[in-house]
Amino acid sequence: MSNQPNTRTRRRRGSAQPTLKEVAEAAGVSSITASRALNTPERVSEAARARVLQAVERLGYVPNLVAGSLASASSRFIAVIVPSLANAVFIEVIHGLQETFEAQGYQILLGNTDYDPQREYQLIRTFFGWSCSALVTAGLRHSGPCRTLLEGWEQPIMEVMELGQALDLNVGLDHRDAGRCMARHLLERGHRAIVYVGAGMADDYRAGLRYDGHREVLEGQGLAAPCLDIGRPGGLDAGARGLELALEHHPGIAAIHFANDDLATGALLHAQRRGLQVPGQIAIAGFNGLPLGQHVTPRLTTIQSPRHTIGRLAAEEVLRRLAGKAVRRRQHDVGFTLLEGEST
Amino acid sequence: MSNQPNTRTRRRRGSAQPTLKEVAEAAGVSSITASRALNTPERVSEAARARVLQAVERLGYVPNLVAGSLASASSRFIAVIVPSLANAVFIEVIHGLQETFEAQGYQILLGNTDYDPQREYQLIRTFFGWSCSALVTAGLRHSGPCRTLLEGWEQPIMEVMELGQALDLNVGLDHRDAGRCMARHLLERGHRAIVYVGAGMADDYRAGLRYDGHREVLEGQGLAAPCLDIGRPGGLDAGARGLELALEHHPGIAAIHFANDDLATGALLHAQRRGLQVPGQIAIAGFNGLPLGQHVTPRLTTIQSPRHTIGRLAAEEVLRRLAGKAVRRRQHDVGFTLLEGEST
DNA sequence: TAGAACTATGTTAGCGCTAACATGACAGCG
DNA sequence: CGCTGTCATGTTAGCGCTAACATAGTTCTA
């Protein structure tokens, strides 16, 4: 199947958009000078720079970032993978990341696994195909193929939300410890019959870690630490259901430690509607410190997680690494704060 | 400055990642066949396809999407611009977009203007540089330079949230009409002294459109339609403040029509805490139909906006256009539903 | 049964940009 | 004054992939 060289001219494909070459011609410089005028202006004389910028303006030139990325083998994309957009927690982390990265000219590529580990692998493959400068992912647990891909990758990897054995960089908090903290608080307030209620803790395994801490404290006091998982991550509705189920399965219960504020607030509002006294008849605690919980009556007892800070710090750490500077810490504990409300 | 051709070989730049060419060699085909095996498998014999896929697997090949985009002048990126991530409304729209686009192999590029029109221009420039396949943006109002850029663009532009004079495609609802609807409802419930309370309506101008509708109805009945803007878009806190200010500035007020559910719920929870009867002493209405409002007691009267549907429909319409199929409608009214709660 | 139509595959030439190297001009220096 | 260093700019050669066109073999059609 040997072909003869084609001597006729082919039809061109390009669009009507002006290219850097045209800008350079208009400015009377070579294209590399035009490139430098835009990307590293300090390496070009003031005169040349001015003429290039003027030509850019006049022609309405918009740099083709795809071509630039191919040529430089780097894209100024930051891949961000979260398990859910429905959860305000991740939104705030994303916001913190976005602010910090965009200020440095990086663009976030957002991926949402919807708590499906398979999706993570797919997303990472796609993102690698975009020559991302770094990857930020929520959590430390990854599927086998995922780990293989990640370990073969040369760019910074930042795992956020929880602290632990990370692949590379790590910013988060100790969820087990947060669980312990709230369990201790509930004991201090005199509650003994305490149920931990989560939703989809197989997926939201950080809720499981908090339960582990919770149980450790209760069992340390010789108390039972029953756990109720009402299936699939959910919101206020799920909280209401959680309250009902907990009361049904555990009569004589004094307090419920919910896996998060959505559940806890849902339960609290439901208790109100049912006429149950909180914390008189049942104490309720949450986790996250969402604004919502601080506006209900009684105010929700919960643990404040510094979500925006996680995003900002993670971004700063990644940027420092990308700039080639030494990383202050590979691991960063952002801590948490117990918010003592009126619900416990 | 004439240079002699360089005859020495230069140092190569490429990374260690296998390329399509290597996959093709391993499979014993040309690179274009390997390309086709991956992108248009139906145009390749089964035998060749199998060998290519096997080579991909063996070498751990990850397609370089940057190179592919440059060569094909299209990136399968969808630019999405929203004014805020703090607002659950936009998150749900994004989710609807994401689900639908990702199923077709498109990747969303998310931009957040934080209600700054300048940022929109910057974001659009960047996104155009990525050869996006389409742009989805919240709202119909754009700065002058922005319009110029958009009008010169050849790809589909989808404006979502509100209905009106759009640049290209449009999916949303009539906010003025929603304002009218709620105003009528409040009149039906016998309220006469009604204040409209918003936060940052210069930025969140759709809240302003709803107020226009509200005023139209009230003034049509010979009633005053005072409006109170408490500055900067805000959440539950702002709602509490809005309630206080409204009571202060408008003694004798019977009802407050809030610009959104966050404000309304914040006010409602604050009223509870203050011991104000809702709707006995003060009626409260919102807009959006967020779950939160449906879980408080009394249940919030609000207008349900089909946010997820907006996202899904917008994506479907764009995909139809990208597939070259005729567009069913350039404009799509998703409507809204009055949720009569107990707060009015 | 000639030739049109279709199928599978290949060759070539870029896409628009930047890394690497090259060159000439000039300043500083012993 | 030649040498070295720095600066501004230029030439060249790709980055890895796919569109466009080319070519054989096969099947269908008149």
Side-chain angles (χ1 to χ4, degrees):
Chain A
M1 222 176 269
S2 68
N3 300 335
Q4 300 307 310
N6 171 20
T7 47
R8 279 176 286 166
T9 45
R10 281 149 190 252
R11 197 167 358 128
R12 291 314 207 66
R13 304 172 242 165
S15 73
Q17 290 294 317
T19 68
L20 185 64
K21 200 174 150 204
E22 285 159 30
V23 169
E25 278 162 12
V29 296
S30 71
S31 32
I32 191 70
T33 301
S35 170
R36 288 198 270 248
L38 296 175
N39 299 318
T40 51
E42 73 281 3
R43 305 192 47 179
V44 163
S45 70
E46 208 168 313
R49 197 188 320 153
R51 273 180 301 144
V52 169
L53 292 180
Q54 197 194 320
V56 164
E57 194 66 35
R58 184 148 45 87
L59 299 177
Y61 171 71
V62 176
N64 184 325
L65 301 173
V66 178
S69 296
L70 180 60
S72 66
S74 106
S75 72
R76 295 189 87 78
F77 273 137
I78 307 286
V80 175
I81 298 181
V82 295
S84 163
L85 287 183
N87 192 327
V89 168
F90 296 112
I91 301 297
E92 289 180 47
V93 173
I94 291 169
H95 203 210
L97 290 167
Q98 191 166 254
E99 272 177 18
T100 316
F101 278 125
E102 285 192 1
Q104 299 298 316
Y106 286 87
Q107 167 68 42
I108 281 180
L109 271 186
L110 185 61
N112 170 8
T113 67
D114 274 321
Y115 285 109
D116 176 356
Q118 294 280 294
R119 295 266 314 129
E120 189 182 20
Y121 177 73
Q122 272 308 317
L123 285 169
I124 289 179
R125 261 182 73 98
T126 307
F127 290 162
F128 283 9
W130 285 112
S131 312
C132 289
S133 300
L135 169 70
V136 179
T137 182
L140 297 168
R141 300 196 184 169
H142 315 284
S143 70
C146 226
R147 294 199 90 81
T148 311
L149 257 184
L150 290 172
E151 277 159 11
W153 204 46
E154 284 145 12
Q155 301 298 317
I157 297 172
M158 167 63 81
E159 290 163 285
V160 294
M161 304 314 290
E162 71 193 291
L163 239 37
Q165 185 64 47
L167 289 162
D168 186 5
L169 302 166
N170 187 200
V171 169
L173 56 94
D174 185 332
H175 285 261
R176 203 172 266 117
D177 209 33
R180 281 188 208 107
C181 173
M182 182 58 81
R184 273 189 224 107
H185 167 82
L186 291 170
L187 289 177
E188 273 170 26
R189 291 273 167 118
H191 304 294
R192 287 295 173 271
I194 308 171
V195 181
Y196 188 93
V197 175
M201 285 163 64
D203 292 331
D204 181 7
Y205 66 87
R206 281 176 288 272
L209 292 174
R210 295 192 291 274
Y211 170 60
D212 292 344
H214 163 96
R215 187 177 52 191
E216 189 185 312
V217 169
L218 290 197
E219 293 184 347
Q221 297 295 314
L223 295 168
C227 178
L228 197 63
D229 190 325
I230 60 169
R232 287 204 52 71
L236 298 166
D237 282 315
R241 207 164 62 250
L243 174 62
E244 288 293 346
L245 286 173
L247 291 171
E248 184 183 325
H249 293 339
H250 301 277
I253 188 181
I256 305 180
H257 181 177
F258 281 97
N260 61 53
D261 277 10
D262 288 297
L263 294 173
T265 311
L268 206 141
L269 293 172
H270 184 67
Q272 236 167 51
R273 194 161 268 250
R274 268 197 42 167
L276 271 171
Q277 292 299 317
V278 177
Q281 294 175 267
I282 182 97
I284 289 175
F287 174 82
N288 268 333
L290 297 185
L292 173 55
Q294 304 311 301
H295 282 268
V296 291
T297 310
R299 205 148 32 78
L300 183 66
T301 294
T302 184
I303 283 177
Q304 177 77 48
S305 60
R307 303 171 291 279
H308 193 271
T309 304
I310 289 179
R312 188 176 43 72
L313 264 181
E316 285 170 4
E317 209 67 36
V318 167
L319 286 170
R320 200 167 293 128
R321 174 74 146 268
L322 288 174
K325 290 178 204 148
V327 170
R328 281 187 312 190
R329 312 185 205 175
R330 296 175 69 80
Q331 197 164 57
H332 209 120
D333 186 349
V334 294
F336 54 82
T337 320
L338 176 67
L339 293 181
E340 300 198 23
E342 307 146 353
S343 69
T344 47
Chain B
M1 223 175 269
S2 68
N3 300 338
Q4 299 309 312
N6 170 17
T7 46
R8 279 177 284 165
T9 45
R10 284 150 188 251
R11 194 163 5 123
R12 291 314 209 64
R13 302 173 246 165
S15 73
Q17 289 293 317
T19 69
L20 186 63
K21 199 174 151 205
E22 284 159 31
V23 169
E25 278 162 13
V29 297
S30 70
S31 32
I32 190 71
T33 301
S35 169
R36 287 197 271 248
L38 296 174
N39 299 316
T40 50
E42 73 281 3
R43 303 190 48 179
V44 163
S45 70
E46 206 167 315
R49 195 188 319 154
R51 271 181 301 144
V52 169
L53 293 180
Q54 198 195 320
V56 164
E57 193 67 33
R58 185 147 46 86
L59 299 177
Y61 170 71
V62 176
N64 184 325
L65 301 173
V66 178
S69 297
L70 180 59
S72 66
S74 106
S75 71
R76 296 190 85 80
F77 272 137
I78 307 287
V80 175
I81 297 180
V82 295
S84 163
L85 286 183
N87 192 325
V89 168
F90 297 113
I91 301 296
E92 290 181 47
V93 173
I94 291 167
H95 203 207
L97 290 167
Q98 190 166 256
E99 272 178 19
T100 315
F101 278 125
E102 284 193 1
Q104 300 298 315
Y106 287 88
Q107 167 68 41
I108 281 180
L109 272 187
L110 185 60
N112 171 10
T113 67
D114 273 322
Y115 285 111
D116 175 358
Q118 295 279 294
R119 295 267 315 129
E120 189 182 21
Y121 176 74
Q122 272 308 318
L123 285 169
I124 289 179
R125 260 182 75 96
T126 308
F127 290 163
F128 282 10
W130 285 112
S131 312
C132 289
S133 300
L135 168 70
V136 179
T137 183
L140 298 168
R141 300 195 185 170
H142 315 285
S143 70
C146 224
R147 294 200 90 81
T148 312
L149 255 186
L150 290 172
E151 277 159 10
W153 204 47
E154 284 146 10
Q155 301 299 315
I157 296 171
M158 166 64 80
E159 290 163 286
V160 294
M161 303 315 288
E162 69 193 293
L163 239 39
Q165 188 64 47
L167 289 162
D168 185 6
L169 301 166
N170 188 201
V171 169
L173 56 93
D174 185 333
H175 286 259
R176 203 172 266 115
D177 209 33
R180 283 188 206 107
C181 172
M182 183 58 81
R184 273 191 223 106
H185 166 83
L186 291 170
L187 289 177
E188 274 170 24
R189 290 274 168 114
H191 305 294
R192 288 296 174 272
I194 308 172
V195 180
Y196 189 92
V197 176
M201 285 164 65
D203 292 331
D204 182 7
Y205 65 87
R206 282 176 286 274
L209 292 174
R210 295 193 290 275
Y211 170 60
D212 292 345
H214 163 97
R215 185 177 54 191
E216 188 187 311
V217 168
L218 290 198
E219 293 183 347
Q221 298 293 313
L223 296 169
C227 178
L228 197 63
D229 190 325
I230 59 169
R232 286 204 52 72
L236 298 166
D237 281 314
R241 206 164 63 249
L243 174 61
E244 288 293 346
L245 286 174
L247 290 172
E248 183 183 326
H249 294 338
H250 302 277
I253 188 185
I256 306 180
H257 181 177
F258 280 97
N260 62 53
D261 277 11
D262 288 296
L263 294 173
T265 311
L268 206 141
L269 294 172
H270 184 67
Q272 238 168 49
R273 194 161 267 249
R274 269 196 42 165
L276 271 170
Q277 291 298 317
V278 177
Q281 294 174 268
I282 182 94
I284 289 175
F287 173 82
N288 266 334
L290 297 185
L292 172 56
Q294 305 310 300
H295 282 267
V296 291
T297 309
R299 205 148 31 78
L300 183 67
T301 294
T302 185
I303 282 175
Q304 175 76 50
S305 61
R307 302 172 292 279
H308 193 272
T309 304
I310 289 179
R312 188 176 44 72
L313 264 180
E316 285 170 3
E317 208 68 36
V318 168
L319 286 170
R320 201 168 291 126
R321 173 76 145 267
L322 288 174
K325 291 180 205 147
V327 170
R328 282 189 309 191
R329 312 184 205 176
R330 297 176 70 80
Q331 197 164 57
H332 209 119
D333 186 351
V334 294
F336 55 81
T337 320
L338 176 67
L339 293 182
E340 300 198 24
E342 307 144 354
S343 69
T344 48

